[in-house]
């Protein structure tokens, strides 16, 4: 099965989506994913190593990264937004406008806030809307997003890398529930890192996979080598879990900071108190490889990643039995 509803909607060869990952999914990675037949997403800090000083600077940097992506690939790609409170969110509207102006194919709309005007803007301008819930990946949330016009939903299990949801429901548990509840394609997110995990989620009714961690261990990913080496020489058992903010839970490689936050979490510190100490830490780990003050939020799929490989090899492996 090479073509299905996901490849048809996205215009890719294979139903493999490289998920957005903050600092480390840039033009080069997206272009490599596209060349290998997948579909890549730029994340909010794509191609950057420092924080933008204003929303305008963030948009201008993203415009530059989109142009670099277009220079490296003729194939379509996507952009990620994390809509906040419309009264205070200064990033989402200009990023969506930029995506429209630049002819970006798809928006990964990530978050628990389902804003009808934003859905309408994305859809009315002909972009594909892929919805991923952040803290609350519930069946009801996906049904609402589908009814509001989402083209696909990303079902995030607790195994995944990045901000973790309130409930510790695994990818394998959640996918069939959502597949039964919506008519649009379901993308599986969380712990998918080899052909066996792809086969498993396809058997449950997913029509594509939305993978992050497996692409960190690629030659083309700009993540620091320390993080890549950690992934290939450890398994999920080595990762530490703690409460935090803004999301309720995080999982990280055991840096000095992660171990401290785990201890605070176990001793009952408030999520917000832990969240304050997390600021800037993901950048420190992913960009600088800082094993003291960094946090690298990886998925449990690291257990099935054993080598740093070219993106093409990763995608060929993921699709070995399905494409
Ligand atoms: C290091 C890292 C950074 C991430 N940053 C973002 C982000 O900026 N925006 C977002 O929507 N999701 C982010 N995610 C989540 C991914 O988009 C995706 O949902 C997740 O990686 C899939 O699970 P997996 O890592 O088990 O494949 C991040 C994930 C990781 C591992």
């Amino acid at each position: 099965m090479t073509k299905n509803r996901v490849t048809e909607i996205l215009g890719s060869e294979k139903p493999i989506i490289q998920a957005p990952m903050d600092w480390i999914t840039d033009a080069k990675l997206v272009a490599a994913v596209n060349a290998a037949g997948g579909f890549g997403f730029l994340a909010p800090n794509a191609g950057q190593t420092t924080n933008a000083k204003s929303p305008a600077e963030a948009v201008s940097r993203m415009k530059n990264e989109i142009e670099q992506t277009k220079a490296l690939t003729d194939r379509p790609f996507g952009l990620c937004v994390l809509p906040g409170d419309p009264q205070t969110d200064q990033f989402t509207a200009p990023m969506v406008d930029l995506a429209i102006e630049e002819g970006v194919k798809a928006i990964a709309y990530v978050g628990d806030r389902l804003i009808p005007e934003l859905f309408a803007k994305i859809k009315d301008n002909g972009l594909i809307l892929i919805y991923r819930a952040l803290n609350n990946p519930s069946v009801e949330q996906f049904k609402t997003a589908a009814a509001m016009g989402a083209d696909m939903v990303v079902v995030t299990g607790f195994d995944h890398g990045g901000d973790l949801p309130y409930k510790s429901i695994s990818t394998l548990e959640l996918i069939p529930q959502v597949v039964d509840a919506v008519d649009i394609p379901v993308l599986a997110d969380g712990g998918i890192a080899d052909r066996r995990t792809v086969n498993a989620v396809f058997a449950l009714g997913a029509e594509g996979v939305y993978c992050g961690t497996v692409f960190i261990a690629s030659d083309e990913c700009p993540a620091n080598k320390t993080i890549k080496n950690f992934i290939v020489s450890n398994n999920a058992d080595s990762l530490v879990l703690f409460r935090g903010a803004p999301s309720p839970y995080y999982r990280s490689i055991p840096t000095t900071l992660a171990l401290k936050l785990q201890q605070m979490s176990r001793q009952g510190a408030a999520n917000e108190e832990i969240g304050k100490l997390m600021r800037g830490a993901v950048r420190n780990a992913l960009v600088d490889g800082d094993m003291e003050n960094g946090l690298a939020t990886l998925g449990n799929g690291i257990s099935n990643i054993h080598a740093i490989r070219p993106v093409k090899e990763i995608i060929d492996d993921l699709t070995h039995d399905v494409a």
Side-chain angles (χ1 to χ4, degrees), residues 19-24 43-45 80-82 108 110 132 134 154 156 159-163 189-193 210-214 216 282 286 296-301:
M21 291 184 287
D22 209 352
W23 300 90
I24 55 172
N45 285 305
C80 160
V81 294
L82 293 106
V110 180
R132 180 166 92 77
L134 199 58
V154 177
T156 299
D159 336 45
H160 107 141
D163 299 12
D189 164 315
I192 294 142
Y210 186 89
C211 300
T213 301
V214 71
I216 303 178
V282 171
L286 299 179
T297 52
L298 304 177
N300 282 338

Side-chain angles (χ1 to χ4, degrees), residues 47-224:
Q48 308 304 315
T49 56
T50 58
N51 282 302
K53 293 190 179 63
S54 65
E57 190 185 354
V59 172
S60 144
R61 288 176 174 198
M62 184 56 78
K63 185 175 167 60
N64 184 43
E65 201 63 24
I66 290 172
E67 276 157 16
Q68 287 196 40
T69 311
K70 285 181 183 168
L72 295 172
T73 179
D74 292 334
R75 299 186 182 178
F77 60 93
L79 197 66
C80 160
V81 294
L82 293 106
D85 179 348
Q87 304 298 325
T88 52
D89 180 355
Q90 294 182 287
F91 288 89
T92 300
M95 285 294 183
V96 170
D97 287 342
L98 177 68
I100 293 166
E101 275 161 36
E102 293 285 335
V104 167
K105 173 95 177 175
I107 294 281
Y109 182 124
V110 180
D112 302 316
R113 237 178 254 273
L114 295 166
I115 305 169
E117 298 75 23
L118 195 53
F119 264 62
K121 185 168 191 182
I122 294 168
K123 298 290 306 162
D124 292 350
N125 283 284
L127 278 75
I128 303 301
L129 193 155
I130 301 184
Y131 175 67
R132 180 166 92 77
L134 199 58
N135 296 342
N136 180 31
S138 66
V139 172
E140 283 312 312
Q141 184 79 359
F142 291 120
K143 278 168 76 171
T144 307
M148 286 171 65
D151 295 285
M152 298 181 209
V153 288
V154 177
V155 174
T156 299
F158 204 76
D159 336 45
H160 107 141
D163 299 12
L164 298 175
Y166 291 119
K167 294 188 181 167
S168 62
I169 299 173
S170 75
T171 308
L172 293 189
E173 170 70 21
L174 202 49
I175 286 170
Q177 294 185 53
V178 183
V179 166
D180 288 347
V182 299
D183 292 331
I184 55 176
V186 166
L187 304 177
D189 164 315
I192 294 142
D194 64 356
R195 68 183 70 165
R196 292 172 299 181
T197 38
V198 172
N199 291 344
V201 294
F202 271 71
L204 296 173
E207 292 178 57
V209 292
Y210 186 89
C211 300
T213 301
V214 71
F215 287 112
I216 303 178
S218 68
D219 292 335
E220 293 90 341
C221 178
N224 191 281

